[in-house]
């Protein structure tokens, strides 16, 4: 299938990264997708922030060319396999080698970090797949091909991946086989032999037991890992598929070939779109926020960095040409007055990636480096202080689709709320046509000139613990620390004053510790309660419990989880419940809260804008009574009015600086489908 879309409108090269010697491999970070690690034939590893053409660090320690790379999820450690077999692990905070491992007798062709704990897997040209424990500084499992081979045999694993739940390892081999091992049992579960061509890449769905494998003959196979049976297989594509990435919705896969980017679905098997791309020797791609894709390709001494806008590809491209004009949509007058703000209608693609997406990654990397360099360069690595989490400790559930996985990073503890935003701003939601925040919230909103970002962990934010949470723990602890006891004494001995000072300090620290413990305990209990009623087929009970808890941090955690499973949990009824919450979060001062609210709004807009416009923009007459249609139109009207109410609040934040302003402007672009 060929798209009529101009490829220049879909993707473009952002810039080139130049090495002093030929590039051999690269990897994009799995968490922020804004760090890039590259390896060269001169045995060096370079770490870059996407959008910048100068590396933030250069790592040495290998004696042979770099053959494979991987970054851990927290982006604290980097591992590299060499063409001669040895493996090195660097702590990026101190830019030093903290582990030197000798495992493979020949080239280490692939490495992959375990999603939990201090483990990683490696695949070597010696036909072995190994699992390493970084705490024990050695190999704990070794898997063989179980196939006859000779020293001259070329059958070896070229790809290794670990399932999102951390339980299984999959390896793709040069003979076309794909082997699945159970890490907890240490045994081979299944070998797929549906192709005799080398495996080029494979990946797993983050939501279902689906594995996608690409082969050098151009075919893509989809496998069900519950039954270990193939689901579908494409016909050979026009060029070799180099990378596969599941879309954030979980319904499609993005296949990056040598000369194109394609969007495929497997149930049923269909190619939604295909656009030509000139990115020779593509090595890695990753999904970004806001329906964007970033890729990197190897080209001699250079690495090309590419950016794509997926909302210009089917099925993500809005199809609103047949929708009625907006003037036919009934609209109620707004219930409150907002000042208008101009909206930046989108910078060129290069600017969007290099200025917006890269700025945050660069600041984090630079902050971490400056802080680490100010400390003793000979300090021990953070690896020695991390707890060992064996893979089997994370597999209480065998189905990722039944139990929500609340990430270890999902709970944001960002610090104190400003005194201007107190508990009086909270209120109960009413099922009305329009939602209006309290007047005191409106009056304080315009006074905000800055937002509180998430702490990188390098230094305290110096926030007041008594303002950290507005609910729950406040009722169980005093709102202010008890005043220090004044001791009246005729003695002027300095030692007595010192003792008094120490007592006051201990008393204050004890109070702060108790307050924080109460706050975190309350949040954990709320998350556990919500998880107990969570059901992806009906999230209303969980949403109702979330709204009752009145803790903004818990609400943002649940929104983040819902955004990850948007295709399964978002319905029109859910949108009506969530939109008032988004309006309230926009009045928070924490960057993460506002950014997550904007991300949710964009997903809701993309999901329901066509339905809302089609339902509200047409008249319908029937000889009888169509209750379902009338109910749907009523819900669409309510959802539309609440989206317009959120839009007014966003317009007041459109000129905000930094990440908040960028997220707000992107959300306004999505809402522009409804007109001005």
């Amino acid at each position: 299938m060929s798209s009529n879309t101009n490829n220049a409108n879909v993707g473009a090269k952002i810039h080139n990264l130049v090495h002093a010697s030929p590039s051999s491999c690269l990897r994009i970070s799995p968490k922020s997708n804004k760090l890039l690690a590259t390896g060269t034939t001169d045995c060096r590893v370079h770490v870059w922030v996407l959008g910048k053409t100068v590396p933030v660090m250069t790592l040495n320690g290998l004696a042979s060319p770099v053959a494979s790379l991987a970054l851990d999820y927290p982006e604290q450690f980097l591992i590299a396999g060499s063409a001669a077999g040895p493996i090195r692990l660097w702590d990026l905070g101190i830019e030093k080698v903290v582990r030197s491992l000798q495992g493979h007798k020949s080239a280490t062709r692939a490495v992959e970090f375990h999603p939990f704990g201090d483990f990683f897997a490696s695949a070597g040209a010696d036909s072995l797949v190994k699992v390493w424990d970084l705490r024990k500084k050695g190999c704990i499992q070794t898997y063989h091909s179980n196939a006859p081979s000779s020293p001259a045999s070329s059958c070896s694993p070229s790809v290794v991946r670990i399932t999102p739940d951390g339980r299984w390892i999959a390896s793709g081999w040069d003979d076309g086989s794909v082997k699945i091992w159970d890490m907890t049992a240490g045994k081979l579960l299944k070998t797929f032999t549906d192709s005799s061509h080398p495996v080029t890449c494979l990946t797993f769905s983050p939501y279902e037991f689906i594995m996608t494998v690409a082969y050098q003959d151009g075919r893509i196979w989809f496998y069900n890992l519950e039954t270990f049976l193939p689901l579908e297989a494409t016909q050979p594509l026009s060029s070799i598929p180099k990378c596969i990435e599941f879309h954030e919705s979980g319904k499609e896969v993005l296949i990056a070939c040598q000369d194109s980017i394609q969007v495929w679905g497997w149930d049923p098997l269909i190619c939604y779109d295909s656009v030509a791309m000139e990115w020779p020797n593509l090595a890695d791609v990753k999904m970004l926020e806001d329906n964007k894709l970033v890729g990197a390709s190897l080209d001699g001494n250079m690495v090309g960095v590419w950016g794509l806008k997926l909302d210009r590809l089917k099925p993500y491209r809005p199809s609103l040409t047949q929708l009625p004009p907006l003037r036919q949509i009934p609209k109620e007058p707004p219930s409150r007055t907002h000042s208008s703000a101009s909206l930046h209608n989108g910078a060129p693609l290069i600017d969007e990636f290099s200025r917006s997406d890269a700025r945050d990654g660069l600041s984090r990397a630079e902050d971490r480096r400056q802080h680490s360099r100010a400390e003793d360069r000979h300090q021990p690595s953070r690896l020695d202080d991390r707890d060992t989490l064996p893979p089997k400790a994370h597999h209480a559930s065998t189905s990722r689709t039944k139990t929500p996985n609340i990430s270890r990073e999902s709970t944001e503890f960002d610090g104190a709320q400003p005194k201007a935003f107190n508990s009086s701003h909270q209120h109960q939601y009413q099922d009305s046509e329009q939602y209006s925040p309290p007047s005191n919230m409106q009056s304080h909103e315009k006074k905000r000139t800055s937002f509180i970002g998430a702490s990188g962990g390098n230094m305290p934010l110096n926030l007041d613990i008594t303002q950290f949470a507005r609910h729950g723990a406040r009722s169980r602890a005093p709102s202010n620390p008890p005043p220090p006891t004044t001791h009246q004494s005729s003695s002027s001995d300095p030692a007595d004053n010192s003792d008094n000072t120490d007592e006051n300090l201990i008393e204050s620290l004890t109070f702060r510790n108790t307050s924080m413990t109460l706050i975190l305990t309350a949040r954990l209990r709320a998350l556990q309660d919500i998880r107990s009623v969570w059901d992806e087929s009906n999230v209303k009970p969980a949403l109702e419990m979330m709204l009752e808890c009145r803790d903004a941090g818990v609400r943002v955690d649940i929104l983040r989880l819902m955004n990850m499973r948007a295709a399964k949990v978002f319905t029109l009824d859910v949108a009506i419940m969530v939109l008032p919450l988004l309006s309230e979060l926009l009045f928070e001062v924490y960057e993460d809260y506002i950014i997550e609210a904007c991300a949710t709004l964009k997903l809701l807009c993309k999901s329901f804008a066509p339905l809302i416009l089609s339902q509200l923009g047409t008249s319908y007459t029937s000889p009888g009574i169509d209750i379902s249609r009338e109910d749907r139109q009523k819900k669409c009207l309510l959802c539309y009015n609440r989206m317009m109410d959120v839009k007014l609040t966003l317009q007041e934040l459109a000129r905000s600086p930094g990440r908040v302003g960028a997220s707000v402007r992107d959300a306004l672009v999505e809402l522009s489908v409804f007109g001005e």
Side-chain angles (χ1 to χ4, degrees):
M1 176 177 178
S2 178
S3 172
N4 295 326
T5 305
N6 187 348
N7 64 335
N9 295 329
V10 175
K13 179 181 286 188
I14 301 175
H15 52 67
N16 286 321
L17 308 177
V18 181
H19 294 130
S21 58
S23 308
S24 55
C25 58
L26 62 85
R27 199 72 179 271
I28 302 174
S29 62
K31 180 185 178 183
S32 68
N33 303 326
K34 296 173 183 177
L35 291 183
L36 173 66
T38 60
T40 56
T41 56
D42 62 358
C43 314
R44 294 181 178 181
V45 175
H46 306 272
V47 180
W48 315 71
V49 172
L50 293 180
K52 299 296 179 181
T53 57
V54 178
V56 295
M57 63 183 73
T58 298
L59 307 174
N60 299 291
L62 288 173
S64 58
V66 184
S68 54
L69 290 167
L71 286 152
D72 71 335
Y73 186 80
E75 299 176 356
Q76 296 178 347
F77 296 93
L78 181 147
I79 198 161
S82 67
I87 301 172
R88 298 290 184 266
L89 175 76
W90 284 270
D91 185 328
L92 298 182
I94 59 177
E95 303 180 28
K96 284 190 175 183
V97 174
V98 293
R99 294 289 184 271
S100 297
L101 305 170
Q102 304 290 335
H104 293 282
K105 298 179 180 179
S106 52
T108 301
R109 302 184 66 185
V111 288
E112 182 79 359
F113 268 102
H114 192 277
F116 314 109
D118 302 313
F119 305 91
F120 76 93
S122 64
D126 55 1
S127 301
L128 299 178
V129 175
K130 293 176 175 286
V131 179
W132 304 82
D133 186 339
L134 297 178
R135 297 280 296 187
K136 296 181 179 180
K137 306 179 184 180
C139 177
I140 57 175
Q141 292 178 346
T142 300
Y143 304 122
H144 301 267
S145 65
N146 294 327
S149 61
S150 64
S153 175
S154 61
C155 177
S156 63
S158 59
V159 182
V160 62
R161 292 289 184 268
I162 301 177
T163 54
D165 61 3
R167 187 173 185 177
W168 296 345
I169 292 180
S171 59
W173 296 66
D174 290 336
D175 63 356
S177 63
V178 177
K179 302 180 187 295
I180 308 289
W181 282 282
D182 188 336
M183 293 179 62
T184 59
K187 65 178 182 180
L188 180 67
L189 295 178
K190 178 67 177 180
T191 300
F192 297 99
T193 57
D194 298 288
S195 176
S196 59
H197 298 271
V199 176
T200 59
C201 55
L202 65 87
T203 190
F204 301 97
S205 168
Y207 306 122
E208 303 178 71
F209 282 101
I210 303 295
M211 179 178 68
T212 306
V213 184
Y215 295 91
Q216 200 164 12
D217 64 347
R219 300 189 71 184
I220 310 295
W221 285 75
F222 298 89
Y223 295 96
N224 186 333
L225 295 184
E226 290 184 309
T227 61
F228 289 114
L229 295 175
L231 294 174
E232 297 285 353
T234 69
Q235 294 299 317
L237 305 182
S238 59
S239 61
I240 299 176
K242 304 294 290 185
C243 302
I244 302 177
E245 182 82 355
F246 273 86
H247 189 263
E248 58 186 7
S249 67
K251 293 183 177 181
E252 303 88 23
V253 290
L254 308 168
I255 302 174
C257 301
Q258 285 183 333
D259 60 359
S260 64
I261 178 71
Q262 303 185 22
V263 184
W264 283 80
W266 66 90
D267 188 18
L269 184 67
I270 181 174
C271 179
Y272 292 102
D273 211 341
S274 176
V275 174
M277 293 293 297
E278 298 179 358
W279 46 14
N281 203 13
L282 185 71
D284 199 8
V285 296
K286 284 290 186 295
M287 281 288 303
L288 296 177
E289 296 177 352
D290 306 330
N291 228 14
K292 296 174 184 175
L293 188 79
V294 63
S297 60
L298 300 171
D299 186 10
N301 288 30
M302 296 188 299
V303 170
V305 179
W306 302 76
L308 294 87
K309 284 189 170 183
L310 299 180
D311 56 6
R312 298 180 181 179
L313 293 173
K314 299 177 182 178
Y316 316 115
R317 185 172 60 216
S319 300
L320 302 177
T321 56
Q322 299 179 352
L323 295 177
L326 184 64
R327 55 183 173 84
Q328 300 180 12
I329 300 176
K331 178 178 178 181
E332 296 184 2
S335 59
R336 53 193 171 117
T337 303
H338 291 262
S339 60
S340 62
S342 62
L343 175 65
H344 178 64
N345 290 320
L349 181 65
I350 294 179
D351 290 342
E352 291 188 25
F353 280 85
S354 63
R355 297 180 185 176
S356 176
D357 291 336
R359 186 180 296 117
D360 300 329
L362 178 63
S363 62
R364 288 197 304 269
E366 289 297 331
D367 289 346
R368 184 171 60 191
R369 294 182 68 213
Q370 295 295 333
H371 179 69
S372 63
R373 286 176 174 175
E375 299 175 349
D376 183 10
R377 303 290 295 183
H378 300 285
Q379 64 177 338
S381 167
R382 290 167 292 179
L383 181 66
D384 299 326
D385 299 327
R386 295 167 66 181
D387 297 331
T388 302
L389 300 176
K392 61 184 179 180
H394 298 272
H395 314 305
S397 172
T398 59
S399 175
R400 293 187 294 274
T401 61
K402 298 294 183 182
T403 304
N405 179 18
I406 299 180
S407 167
R408 56 186 171 184
E409 293 194 354
S410 62
T411 305
E412 299 282 342
F413 298 128
D414 294 323
Q417 297 279 7
K419 296 180 180 180
F421 295 86
N422 52 41
S423 58
S424 64
H425 297 154
Q426 304 295 337
H427 62 283
Q428 296 294 333
Y429 295 123
Q430 303 295 332
D431 188 14
S432 60
E433 297 294 316
Q434 292 251 335
Y435 165 80
S436 298
S439 58
N440 60 345
M441 183 176 287
Q442 298 179 39
S443 64
H444 286 304
E445 191 277 337
K446 293 184 179 180
K447 296 180 182 179
R448 290 186 296 170
T449 58
S450 62
F451 302 88
I452 300 176
S455 171
N458 296 331
M459 59 186 66
L461 292 176
N462 295 323
L463 300 175
D464 185 2
I465 184 62
T466 62
Q467 300 294 328
F468 179 73
R470 294 173 289 186
H471 310 283
R474 179 72 60 84
S475 61
R476 291 186 294 247
S479 59
N480 293 297
T485 303
T486 303
H487 298 275
Q488 300 294 338
S489 175
S490 59
S491 174
S492 60
D493 189 353
D496 294 340
N497 295 333
S498 176
D499 292 339
N500 293 338
T501 302
D502 291 342
E503 291 176 2
N504 295 338
L505 177 60
I506 293 173
E507 185 177 13
S508 176
L509 292 176
T510 302
F511 168 79
R512 307 285 178 175
N513 181 70
T514 302
S515 300
M516 179 61 75
T517 302
L518 291 173
I519 292 166
L520 300 186
T521 302
R523 287 193 173 181
L524 176 61
R525 187 182 300 111
L527 288 172
Q528 291 172 339
D529 291 342
I530 295 172
R531 181 172 182 173
S532 66
V533 299
W534 178 271
D535 183 4
E536 288 187 352
S537 61
N538 180 20
V539 298
K540 283 187 176 181
L543 284 180
E544 293 171 353
M545 184 173 294
M546 175 191 71
L547 296 177
E548 292 175 359
C549 100
R550 312 303 301 160
D551 189 314
V554 174
R555 292 176 173 184
V556 171
D557 291 341
I558 300 303
L559 281 181
R560 186 176 290 112
L561 177 63
M562 294 177 65
N563 292 343
M564 295 171 59
R565 292 161 168 77
K568 297 183 178 181
V569 302
F570 279 149
T571 64
L572 199 58
D573 291 330
V574 171
I576 293 173
M577 295 178 65
V578 168
L579 283 169
L581 172 61
L582 302 185
S583 293
E584 188 169 338
L585 289 177
L586 291 177
F587 288 92
E588 296 286 345
V589 295
Y590 298 116
E591 286 186 354
D592 288 349
Y593 290 8
I594 300 175
I595 292 172
E596 199 63 33
C598 292
T600 306
L601 181 63
K602 286 184 286 186
L603 289 174
L604 293 177
C605 188
K606 291 178 181 178
S607 300
F608 301 109
L611 174 63
I612 292 173
L613 292 175
S614 63
Q615 289 295 313
L616 300 183
T618 58
S619 59
Y620 178 77
T621 59
S622 172
I625 299 176
D626 190 345
I627 298 177
S628 62
R629 183 181 181 88
E630 293 177 355
D631 182 62
R632 183 165 59 252
Q633 287 183 333
K634 182 179 179 181
K635 291 180 180 178
C636 287
L637 175 61
L638 179 58
C639 191
Y640 169 78
N641 287 332
R642 291 188 173 180
M643 282 188 175
M644 292 300 98
D645 200 39
V646 175
K647 181 179 180 180
L648 294 177
T649 305
L650 289 172
Q651 287 174 341
E652 297 178 351
L653 297 174
R655 293 185 179 275
S656 300
R659 299 170 59 206
V660 169
S663 298
V664 168
R665 289 188 288 271
D666 287 345
L668 285 171
V669 170
E670 292 295 336
L671 286 171
S672 64
V673 68
F674 295 107
E676 295 299 326

